[in-house]
Amino acid sequence: MSTNGSATLSLTDLRGNLRRLRRERLIRRLFFAAAVLSILVSLLIVASLAGGAIDFLSKLDGIGQLWNPRGWFPRRGLFDILTIFLGTALVAGVAIMVAAPIGLGAAMYLSEYAGRRRRFLKPIIEILAGVPSVVMGFFALTFISPNLVQKVVPGTPAFSIAAAGIGVGILIIPLVATIAEDSMHAVPGSLREAAFGLGAKRRAVSVRVVFPAAISGIVAALILGVSRAIGETLVVTIAAGAVGGSARTIDIFGPGQTMTAAMTSLATGSDQVRGVGPAFPSLFFVGLLLFAMTLGLNLISERFVRRVRRRY
């Protein structure tokens, strides 16, 4: 008690309920353990890939064996990295050309024009992300290739990079649309109201006010879409057509091989992995390159967002 008769608080009283504090410490430790475990798993994956990649490089006659103009045929001892890198870049390029206009258009509509309909239209668009890759692969092979690609460019074979790229592009539309729409929707309404007060039409507000204000999120959506396209496996394995290997090509209207499809085709069945000496370790080398590419894209995306993000 204080001199004036009022109660005083001790350090024990300010410490709070001891049972609640113990629960908070336990929860904090559980979350910390989950974070450490996720980092540990990532490090173990990288270590495994690095070990296999070093084993692969040690079995090569020379580093020049990774640039062979005859293409990527691992069971024959041909390991042209440029072949599968070009195939991956072509598929990702076609995919983002499909997903960018459709995804950004859908995001613009949901953010600026849909109004109350946004609540049920956005989940419908996101349902597309739940389509299994194998289903999209067969759709690309049986519908996109004969009814779209072959009609636009007669003479295109059933298996082509273009058909695979369009299929992958359809798969990443929800990713691009969702992230871009969230960024546009987060733009303060005061910017729109100021533009409308100056007499701007809705189209001008959407294109000249909302889009530039949300550019960081939009670019991040596109980069993540490219990263998702690079990592897609089953669609390109089914629709691109290069199962055992591929010659080096930049023709999107012909068969090709991507990095993920190269790993899949080589590792289909444990008894089929065997080939010449470096065939099996090449899986780890390609996997490490994929990891480095996706990590680089994510770092570029994060750096760009931090650099151009605007605070309102």
Side-chain angles (χ1 to χ4, degrees), residues 56 59-60 65 74 77 79 276-283:
F56 167 70
K59 293 182 178 180
L60 296 179
Q65 197 172 348
F79 303 97
V276 295
F280 177 69
S282 68
L283 294 172

Side-chain angles (χ1 to χ4, degrees), residues 207-262:
V207 176
R208 298 186 179 183
V209 176
V210 176
F211 194 92
I215 190 64
S216 61
I218 292 172
V219 172
L222 295 177
I223 294 177
L224 290 176
V226 172
S227 179
R228 171 71 174 83
I230 290 175
E232 178 54 44
T233 304
L234 285 179
V235 175
V236 291
T237 301
I238 295 172
V243 177
S246 174
R248 186 186 297 179
T249 180
I250 57 173
D251 181 17
I252 64 171
F253 298 106
Q257 186 79 290
T258 65
M259 301 172 78
T260 53

Side-chain angles (χ1 to χ4, degrees), residues 83-255:
T83 296
I84 55 178
F85 177 80
L86 287 175
T88 302
L90 291 173
V91 169
V94 173
I96 204 64
M97 289 178 63
V98 172
I102 299 177
L104 295 182
M108 186 69 73
Y109 174 77
L110 291 174
S111 175
E112 305 302 314
Y113 295 90
R116 294 181 179 179
R117 289 169 293 190
R118 173 181 179 268
R119 291 181 296 178
F120 63 88
L121 287 177
K122 188 175 181 180
I124 293 175
I125 294 177
E126 292 175 347
I127 288 176
L128 188 60
V131 177
S133 297
V134 64
V135 174
M136 185 57 67
F138 280 107
F139 177 74
L141 180 62
T142 59
F143 182 84
I144 295 177
S145 180
N147 296 297
L148 183 60
V149 178
Q150 291 180 335
K151 287 187 177 180
V152 173
V153 182
T156 302
F159 300 95
S160 66
I161 293 176
I166 294 173
V168 175
I170 294 174
L171 276 183
I172 65 175
I173 286 175
L175 176 65
V176 174
T178 299
I179 299 177
E181 194 276 335
D182 289 339
S183 181
M184 294 179 187
H185 191 71
V187 174
S190 58
L191 295 181
R192 298 179 178 88
E193 294 170 0
F196 285 132
L198 293 174
K201 296 182 179 180
R202 185 176 294 275
R203 181 182 61 182
V205 173
S206 301
V207 176
R208 298 186 179 183
V209 176
V210 176
F211 194 92
I215 190 64
S216 61
I218 292 172
V219 172
L222 295 177
I223 294 177
L224 290 176
V226 172
S227 179
R228 171 71 174 83
I230 290 175
E232 178 54 44
T233 304
L234 285 179
V235 175
V236 291
T237 301
I238 295 172
V243 177
S246 174
R248 186 186 297 179
T249 180
I250 57 173
D251 181 17
I252 64 171
F253 298 106

